[in-house]
Amino acid sequence: MSGFKRLCKVVFALSGFFTLAALGLTWMGPWRDVASAMMVVDTYWYAIQVCGAITVLGLVIQLFSGLFSRKVRTVQVATVDGGAITVTREAIASQATHIVEADGTCTAAKVHVDAKPRGHVRVHVRVLPHETLDVVVKGAQLHEELLQGLAGVCGNTVEDVSLEFVEPQAYRDARAAAEGGSDAPVEISVSLGAAADEPGEPDSTSEITVPMGTSKEV
């Protein structure tokens, strides 16, 4: 989700809470008289009107989004002589899985493909290493291989590729055996971005997340 969409959702939620609280307190609760008296304050009354308008607008957008939005199953990657060449999301996910598992060191535990009908494909892959490995090096290698491999399926519509590394299978099995089958999650976050040469210190978790994305204009 983009930063702008996240901001809109936060503003919509806060406006809705404020409007409901301001109007609800005039009907019930021990502060009914105070809340009713506040209505004659111009600044307070205008704030309620603005927040109410934002809430109504957000609800209308959510309604139309629920009624008319549809799940994209195919992506148009090229046009030939007036016709269109499309590829399914399942085919993109299958290609990503094949690329991740090609050398036998990792398994694609989960592949999520977010796409629009006329391009802008985003691929998120959860990678399960078979053994402990250098996440930064392996992540950069897989990222480059995915960009090149998916280009053969999606053309230049690939907008973003991100990788999420979970704890190695060998470590998970050893820990489960030591704890008698217990599989309590411990997560470790490592960010690979502009400061890729300075990997973060692992914290107390077993999940390693490497966000690596590229943007291309279509």
Side-chain angles (χ1 to χ4, degrees):
M1 181 185 298
S2 66
F4 178 72
K5 288 184 178 180
R6 186 178 291 110
L7 176 62
C8 290
K9 287 181 178 291
V10 171
V11 172
F12 167 64
L14 293 178
S15 299
F17 285 139
F18 176 75
T19 304
L20 288 175
L23 296 179
L25 288 175
T26 61
W27 300 333
M28 62 187 67
W31 301 284
R32 285 182 296 177
D33 294 338
V34 176
S36 299
M38 287 291 293
M39 292 294 181
V40 299
V41 179
D42 291 341
T43 303
Y44 184 76
W45 176 241
Y46 292 147
I48 293 178
Q49 289 182 317
V50 171
C51 291
I54 294 174
T55 303
V56 171
L57 178 62
L59 291 174
V60 171
I61 293 174
Q62 293 292 331
L63 175 62
F64 278 92
S65 177
L67 291 176
F68 300 108
S69 64
R70 58 188 180 88
K71 187 175 181 180
V72 177
R73 296 188 178 276
T74 60
V75 182
Q76 180 177 322
V77 296
T79 57
V80 179
D81 296 332
I85 299 177
T86 62
V87 61
T88 64
R89 294 172 59 199
E90 289 76 10
I92 298 173
S94 178
Q95 177 73 355
T97 301
H98 173 73
I99 294 171
V100 171
E101 299 178 351
D103 60 1
T105 61
C106 300
T107 297
K110 183 179 180 181
V111 180
H112 176 72
V113 179
D114 185 19
K116 295 182 180 179
R118 295 185 179 275
H120 301 287
V121 177
R122 295 181 178 182
V123 180
H124 177 82
V125 184
R126 179 173 294 176
V127 182
L128 173 64
H130 296 166
E131 296 180 353
T132 303
L133 47 75
D134 189 327
V135 174
V136 176
V137 174
K138 186 62 178 178
Q141 175 190 340
L142 283 178
H143 185 261
E144 184 63 26
E145 291 176 353
L146 284 167
L147 285 177
Q148 295 178 359
L150 292 176
V153 176
C154 309
N156 61 349
T157 61
V158 180
E159 184 178 272
D160 180 83
V161 174
S162 60
L163 303 173
E164 177 184 349
F165 283 81
V166 298
E167 62 180 355
Q169 183 66 45
Y171 172 74
R172 179 181 296 180
D173 293 342
R175 189 183 64 177
E179 298 180 358
S182 173
D183 194 17
V186 183
E187 296 186 332
I188 299 177
S189 287
V190 176
S191 177
L192 182 60
D197 296 332
E198 300 177 0
E201 289 293 330
D203 53 32
S204 58
T205 47
S206 78
E207 191 171 20
I208 306 175
T209 302
V210 182
M212 307 172 57
T214 60
S215 295
K216 296 184 179 180
E217 295 185 358
V218 181

